[in-house]
Amino acid sequence: MSQWGLKDNFPGATMSKSACLFMLLGLTALAMSPAVAAEDAGVLCDRLAGHPDDTTVAGKGVAFGKIDTGAAEAACTQAVSEHPDEARYLFQLGRVFDKKEDFPGAASYYERAAAKGSALAWNALGSLSEGGLGMPKDYAKAAQYYKRSAEAGLLAAYRSLAYLYYHGRLPGGPEEARKL
């Protein structure tokens, strides 16, 4: 059997063409495996659109302003397709639509993620409702979303709720904000 020039870079190392071909076919089959592809879509979605405060994300997440919408939308759409009941991927796809300023699309994915228990999605819905983005501006509804988020464990939701009270957007004013 002829050898491929591994000796040039690694003295004493040799590999037959058939061994190289076998290894290449094995790696190709592994890369095309549905289990690996599904995992890769989720991991990629986490890396490209995961929230930095989400402890369920594989990795660190990404700041909202740094979301690459094209790549993240493709990865997260595939992740949602493969895992339609995973709140994390629904929320992350909502972040992508939010970054693209497709607020009705963002609200739709946030609502689906919130229905599956995502505190971050409840908080995002509060922000959209507070700003009238993709839904009517409604401070009382925003407060309900923030309260759901806080009850689900997101401390940042208390800050958002306090802001509404402090700035007079809800009855009770600054006094009510201080109670939070």
Side-chain angles (χ1 to χ4, degrees), residues 68-115:
D68 175 348
T69 57
E73 184 173 2
C76 293
T77 298
Q78 182 177 347
V80 166
S81 174
E82 293 168 358
H83 305 283
D85 293 326
E86 181 61 48
R88 179 173 92 237
Y89 301 140
L90 292 165
F91 169 71
Q92 290 167 183
L93 190 52
R95 286 187 88 210
V96 173
F97 279 84
D98 200 345
K99 177 71 164 61
K100 289 172 46 175
E101 297 185 359
D102 176 351
F103 301 117
S108 173
Y109 283 104
Y110 288 153
E111 287 168 354
R112 289 174 58 191

Side-chain angles (χ1 to χ4, degrees), residues 3-15 20:
Q3 304 295 317
W4 284 2
L6 293 176
K7 288 182 180 179
D8 297 339
N9 296 319
F10 305 100
T14 61
M15 185 179 287
C20 284

